[in-house]
Amino acid sequence: MRVWEGVVLEEQIIRAKALYPFDNLRGSISKGKSNIYGALGEVIIHDLCERNNTPANLNSTYDYDLIIDNKYKVDVKTKRTTVKPKPHYLCSISSFNTRQECDFYFFLRVTEDLTKYYLLGYKKKKDFFNEATFNKKGTEDVNGWLFKDDCYNLEISHLQSFNHLYPSH
């Protein structure tokens, strides 16, 4: 499992800010406070695909954020971070989002200061929910953090690597 690190470009931040002019996404665990991180994750995935000659259309809906290679519906899940993610860190999907009609979940972390991103990996939707652990709102995770909503969690180490997005590495 390889986590890729990249630098966030100023123009990516500008494009991300233009994606969501509203304050709160329905079902958002952070009540809209992390919209910029989510939007930036979508822009980063779009740009990485395009850089590698894979068509990617930003088509943000409740069900998915991008259509990649003209056929795969992908929902991008991005968390903000202050540290480089470790393999045992969790990737989360709110129980509110289990009905999304997507093919894959892509997971990223973006630093709080919006300067770096970490491309963690991806999982087919059905595989994510088959392998993830369910956690109730208010229960404590392994790091002492309280879950703000019912959600499913899977360690980064259980994701597929994004090697195809980084062919030159």
Side-chain angles (χ1 to χ4, degrees):
M1 172 81 238
R2 172 115 191 232
V3 172
W4 300 101
E5 183 176 326
V7 175
V8 176
L9 305 176
E10 184 63 32
E11 69 89 16
Q12 289 176 315
I13 295 170
I14 292 168
R15 287 171 40 221
K17 286 180 179 178
L19 281 180
Y20 298 113
F22 44 89
D23 295 329
N24 191 352
L25 289 172
R26 187 171 169 222
S28 170
I29 289 175
S30 67
K31 306 299 181 217
K33 293 178 184 167
S34 295
N35 285 2
I36 185 61
Y37 302 100
L40 192 53
E42 294 170 26
V43 168
I44 289 165
I45 293 294
H46 173 269
D47 292 355
L48 289 171
C49 288
E50 292 289 317
R51 183 182 89 187
N52 289 292
N53 298 314
T54 301
N57 298 311
L58 278 168
N59 187 21
S60 198
T61 70
Y62 165 75
D63 291 311
Y64 54 88
D65 300 312
L66 295 112
I67 298 176
I68 296 178
D69 207 16
N70 298 315
K71 58 185 166 188
Y72 300 111
K73 296 174 183 170
V74 172
D75 197 59
V76 180
K77 300 296 185 186
T78 308
K79 288 184 181 180
R80 68 178 180 254
T81 189
T82 57
V83 297
K84 183 175 182 175
K86 295 182 180 178
H88 67 277
Y89 286 13
L90 300 175
C91 294
S92 304
I93 298 178
S94 170
S95 63
F96 181 83
N97 292 24
T98 59
R99 293 189 182 116
Q100 288 177 291
E101 293 184 24
C102 59
D103 302 307
F104 292 92
Y105 290 113
F106 283 18
F107 297 93
L108 290 88
R109 299 277 170 102
V110 173
T111 56
E112 280 189 352
D113 64 2
L114 304 176
T115 59
K116 287 186 202 172
Y117 67 87
Y118 301 98
L119 197 58
L120 307 178
Y122 67 94
K123 204 69 159 171
K124 285 184 179 179
K125 178 188 173 186
K126 67 178 179 81
D127 293 341
F128 180 90
F129 290 109
N130 285 337
E131 297 174 29
T133 301
F134 178 76
N135 295 278
K136 291 289 288 172
K137 177 181 179 176
T139 60
E140 197 172 294
D141 78 359
V142 293
N143 301 312
W145 185 81
L146 293 179
F147 290 103
K148 296 179 182 177
D149 201 357
D150 290 352
C151 63
Y152 292 84
N153 293 280
L154 189 66
E155 288 185 2
I156 292 170
S157 63
H158 294 275
L159 301 176
Q160 301 298 119
S161 292
F162 279 114
N163 295 333
H164 63 286
L165 291 179
Y166 280 88
S168 62
H169 287 80

